Amino acid sequence: MQKARIAAVDAGNDAAKAVIGDTANRLVVPNVIAVERERRQVVQLEADPLDGLHVEVISPALRGADGIYAVGNLATMYRHSTEVPADAIKAESNQNLVVALTTLAIDAVLCGQFSAKKGVIQATYDLACGLPLAEVKAGRKQGFIERLKEGPHKVRFLDTPAPLGGNTVSITFGDVRVYAEGHAAIADITMDDEGRPRRVGIEQLTILVADIGGVTSDFCIIGSRGHLDNVNSVGLQDGISPCVDGIMARVEQEAGYRFRNRQELVRCITDPREDRRYRVGLGRMSIKGIVDEELDILARVEYQQIRKLFAALGGQIEICFVIGGGGILLRPYLEALNVDKLPLRFITPEESVWANAKGYYKLLQMARKIGAAK
C-alpha cells in the first residue's frame, strides 16, 4: 500500500490555497468554476497549465454535480462562471469540492509520488482543512469528514496543457482532520515550519484571532495553553465577498465598468502602482470613494465585534491578530476606527492569506508525529 501524502487545503472564497508535501510547496487555484455547456473551442492551449484547467470531476461527494468544468483562471474567461455565493454553507458546497479536488489532482500528477493503475494515477492523501467556526459549532464537521471520505474522487484533465492534460487521477483520503478556521491559524502564527516557537512569548498570551474571510468572519479566542474558548469564540455571517460584490455593482452602475470577478477588483484596490490603484476603464476613473464607503461599513461591523469581545472578557485578551483576505483589505479602516487603542496586530499580507492553510498543515504534521510515537 502506497504511503499517503500530507496535504492542507484552505478552500477560501477567493482561491483554494494548498500546502502539500512540504510547507514550501504551495499551490493556488482561484475559486471560480464554469460548467462546460459545450465542447471547449481550442485554437491553441495556454502556455501555463494552471491557466487552462479543463477537467471532468466524478465524485460521490458531489451530490449529482458530476460534470465537466473550467476551473480557476480559465473559468474567469467565461461569462457564466460562478464564484462562491455569499450565503454558501462550506460543508455542503459542490464548488469548493470541485476546486479542492482539482488542486490535489494537479499535485498528484506533478509530484511523481503515486503509481498508476490502468492509466489512472492512484493518489492517497492525509488531509487537513477547515470550516467556519459557526459550521463547526452547528455540528457539520463529522458529516463533512464523511463526505470527503466517500471517494474515490476522480479528476480527468481534458483540454489542459501538458504535463496535466490527458491524465486521470483517482483520489482517496486516509486521515481527514477538519479544524475551525481562525483557530488553526494560531498554529502558524506561533510555530515555525519545524514546530518551534516563533514570536517568542505569544504562546503565553490569551489571543483573539479575527479571521475575516469571504463569506464569514471567525473570532477565535485561544487561551495561554492553546485551548479554544468554546463559549466566547463566535462566527459571524459577515465577510468581505458581499461587500466586494456591492462595490462591483456600484462601479458598473456609476462608472459603467464591469469587473469580471472579485479577484480583478481586489487587484485594482491593492495595485502597487499608485497611478493604477482604484482606476478603471479607458479614462482611468477613480473608484476610491465607492471602495471607501463600502469597506468602511464592513470595518465598523468587524471592529464592533472585536471591541465587544474585549469588553466582555474583562481585559483577559492580550492581543488580537487580524488575518484573512478581508483583514488585508480592511486594515486601514480598522486602524482608523481603533480609538480604543486595542492591541490589534496585522501580519504581512502573505502570512495573513496563508495562515489557515499552513496552520492546518502544521497541526496535521503534529498529529502524525504523535500517532507515530504511540
Side-chain angles (χ1 to χ4, degrees):
M1 184 177 178
Q2 62 187 3
K3 184 178 179 182
R5 184 166 165 83
I6 186 171
V9 179
D10 176 16
N13 273 52
D14 62 329
K17 297 170 283 289
V19 179
I20 312 174
D22 184 272
T23 51
N25 184 36
R26 304 181 195 179
L27 187 59
V28 179
V29 176
N31 198 344
V32 186
I33 66 171
V35 179
E36 277 287 21
R37 295 175 177 170
E38 56 188 35
R39 183 173 177 82
R40 185 185 178 205
Q41 301 296 308
V42 179
V43 177
Q44 181 179 356
L45 288 175
E46 294 75 11
D48 186 337
L50 296 186
D51 289 334
L53 295 174
H54 182 243
V55 299
E56 181 179 26
V57 184
I58 300 172
S59 165
L62 280 178
R63 307 289 190 260
D66 293 346
I68 296 175
Y69 297 90
V71 176
N73 292 331
L74 178 62
T76 66
M77 307 301 291
Y78 290 64
R79 290 190 67 85
H80 66 277
S81 64
T82 60
E83 298 181 88
V84 179
D87 59 352
I89 298 173
K90 183 170 282 191
E92 299 177 359
S93 170
N94 282 330
Q95 173 160 337
N96 282 334
L97 190 55
V98 166
V99 176
L101 290 174
T102 301
T103 303
L104 291 174
I106 294 168
D107 174 76
V109 174
L110 300 180
C111 74
Q113 178 177 320
F114 302 114
S115 59
K117 182 179 180 181
K118 294 183 179 180
V120 178
I121 297 170
Q122 306 294 315
T124 304
Y125 289 93
D126 285 343
L127 178 69
C129 56
L131 290 175
L133 184 63
E135 291 189 30
V136 174
K137 280 193 166 187
R140 297 186 183 274
K141 178 176 170 178
Q142 189 55 42
F144 184 56
I145 291 173
E146 291 170 1
R147 185 182 181 202
L148 290 171
K149 299 190 79 167
E150 275 186 293
H153 315 273
K154 187 176 289 186
V155 179
R156 184 161 65 102
F157 292 98
L158 303 173
D159 295 322
T160 300
L164 300 177
N167 284 287
T168 300
V169 182
S170 178
I171 298 171
T172 56
F173 295 112
D175 190 10
V176 175
R177 294 177 184 260
V178 176
Y179 301 97
E181 294 173 350
H183 184 204
I186 203 65
D188 184 54
I189 291 170
T190 60
M191 293 191 302
D192 67 15
D193 292 349
E194 304 303 321
R196 297 180 299 246
R198 62 188 295 211
R199 295 186 172 94
V200 177
I202 290 293
E203 69 279 1
Q204 303 300 322
L205 305 179
T206 296
I207 301 169
L208 169 60
V209 177
D211 181 6
I212 305 173
V215 171
T216 61
S217 295
D218 295 315
F219 300 87
C220 299
I221 300 167
I222 298 96
S224 58
R225 295 182 180 180
H227 297 301
L228 178 70
D229 181 338
N230 289 298
V231 175
N232 294 295
S233 296
V234 295
L236 298 183
Q237 201 68 28
D238 288 296
I240 198 72
S241 291
C243 184
V244 168
D245 291 344
I247 293 171
M248 290 167 63
R250 284 189 60 186
V251 170
E252 184 171 10
Q253 181 180 14
E254 297 175 31
Y257 181 83
R258 183 178 185 273
F259 286 100
R260 288 188 303 171
N261 50 60
R262 294 167 184 160
Q263 285 198 325
E264 184 188 355
L265 171 59
V266 171
R267 285 194 296 270
C268 176
I269 294 173
T270 59
D271 197 311
R273 298 166 296 181
E274 199 68 40
D275 63 327
R276 299 273 178 154
R277 196 177 308 157
Y278 302 108
R279 302 282 173 176
V280 300
L282 293 175
R284 292 292 175 196
M285 175 182 176
S286 174
I287 60 169
K288 189 175 187 303
I290 296 173
V291 171
D292 285 345
E293 284 181 30
E294 297 293 330
L295 291 185
D296 182 67
I297 292 170
L298 179 59
R300 290 177 184 277
V301 173
E302 304 289 349
Y303 182 74
Q304 286 305 314
Q305 182 58 51
I306 292 170
R307 189 176 184 276
K308 180 180 177 181
L309 289 171
F310 269 92
L313 291 171
Q316 294 177 41
I317 301 171
E318 297 167 275
I319 190 169
C320 172
F321 284 98
V322 183
I323 68 168
I328 296 169
L329 290 180
L330 295 183
R331 177 174 181 172
Y333 307 93
L334 291 171
E335 288 179 328
L337 289 168
N338 190 19
V339 295
D340 303 288
K341 305 296 182 184
L342 300 177
L344 305 183
R345 297 292 181 269
F346 298 87
I347 53 183
T348 68
E350 182 177 1
E351 283 184 297
S352 186
V353 165
W354 284 96
N356 274 319
K358 290 184 68 181
Y360 300 150
Y361 190 90
K362 291 174 183 180
L363 289 170
L364 182 52
Q365 268 190 322
M366 288 173 59
R368 268 188 158 193
K369 288 177 182 178
I370 292 170
K374 289 182 178 179

